[in-house]
Amino acid sequence: MPKFHADQQARTRLDQARRLLAIAQTGLHYTTGAFDRERYEEIAAIAYSQIAELASMDTGKVAELFSFESGYANPKLDVRCAIFDEVGRILLVREAADGLWSIPGGWADVGLSPAANAAKEAREESGYTVHIERLLAVWDMNKHAHPPSAFHIWKLVFLGTTESAGAIVGSETDKVGFFSLQDLPSLSLGRILPEQIRRLAELYRAGGVDFD
């Protein structure tokens, strides 16, 4: 079987496993019967095993990740900020976890709007205080060539302009810089893809919003 087809098949199976887990999670939230709870827990255990296999993770680690998830199952929200300088270079931060580069961002925090989350992440990870100009993209990571993830993730990317520079806050990133689109460093592909950066640059220049 060609690798492309094998990859597509694995992505389909991973999506099915996440859907199965979402059904189990939602069922556990609403059920009041002991018998139903037992069956939903069994479905969740099957889904953990499938996700672990397809995402190359340990089953126990998958179960640990989802132990914090309760209630009606929803996609997780990753909010990021694209910042360009006057010559069109994009600001990237180096992730301390893997030594690879991404645009600043992370999980959305409760109590902040999406735009406020993007500005906060930019300041913490790059040191730059930014003004959020507009929304650039809303992407479903399932529809892009990211490495397999245990979670179903939606990515919101906002355009930001720098207002002032400062020091990196926290320990998630350890370096920051502006890079030309023709000379990008090694990217953290679970966070951002080269083709997504190129698309963001197009949207920055031409306007509009890209969405899945």
Side-chain angles (χ1 to χ4, degrees), residues 16-31 36-48 51 66 69-73:
Q16 291 171 342
R18 286 189 297 226
R19 286 286 301 130
L20 193 65
L21 184 55
I23 291 169
Q25 180 182 320
T26 303
L28 286 168
H29 175 67
Y30 285 111
T31 188
D36 287 340
R37 176 168 294 278
E38 181 181 342
R39 292 296 174 261
Y40 283 127
E41 288 173 347
E42 183 178 356
I43 292 171
I46 293 170
Y48 292 151
I51 291 171
F66 282 94
E69 305 293 319
S70 62
Y72 191 91

Side-chain angles (χ1 to χ4, degrees), residues 21 23 25 78 128 138 143:
L21 184 55
I23 291 169
Q25 180 182 320
D78 177 28
Y128 284 96
V138 180
K143 297 182 178 294

Side-chain angles (χ1 to χ4, degrees), residues 2 30 53 96 98 103 116 127 131 148-149 159 174 195 203 209:
Y30 285 111
E53 177 187 353
D98 58 15
I103 59 175
H131 173 71
S149 169
L159 175 65
D174 58 16
E195 56 267 33
L203 294 165
V209 179

Side-chain angles (χ1 to χ4, degrees), residues 137 139 194-204 207 209-210:
W139 289 324
E195 56 267 33
Q196 290 174 331
I197 287 181
R198 290 191 290 270
R199 180 59 178 147
L200 292 170
E202 292 174 357
L203 294 165
Y204 160 64
V209 179
D210 196 16

Side-chain angles (χ1 to χ4, degrees), residues 109-124:
D109 289 333
V110 172
L112 295 177
S113 70
N117 266 285
K120 180 184 76 71
E121 291 290 337
R123 182 182 60 81
E124 291 178 351

Side-chain angles (χ1 to χ4, degrees), residues 13-14 35-36 48 52 66-67 70 114 128 141 159 161-162 194 204 207 211:
R13 290 177 58 208
L14 181 58
F35 179 82
D36 287 340
Y48 292 151
F66 282 94
S67 68
S70 62
Y128 284 96
M141 288 182 62
L159 175 65
T161 55
T162 59
Y204 160 64
F211 60 89

Side-chain angles (χ1 to χ4, degrees), residues 74-100:
N74 292 301
K76 295 186 76 67
L77 193 60
D78 177 28
V79 180
R80 297 195 172 266
C81 190
I83 302 164
F84 297 89
D85 67 8
E86 63 278 0
V87 296
R89 297 180 303 171
I90 190 167
L91 183 143
L92 299 177
V93 295
R94 190 170 68 182
E95 301 287 342
D98 58 15
L100 302 174

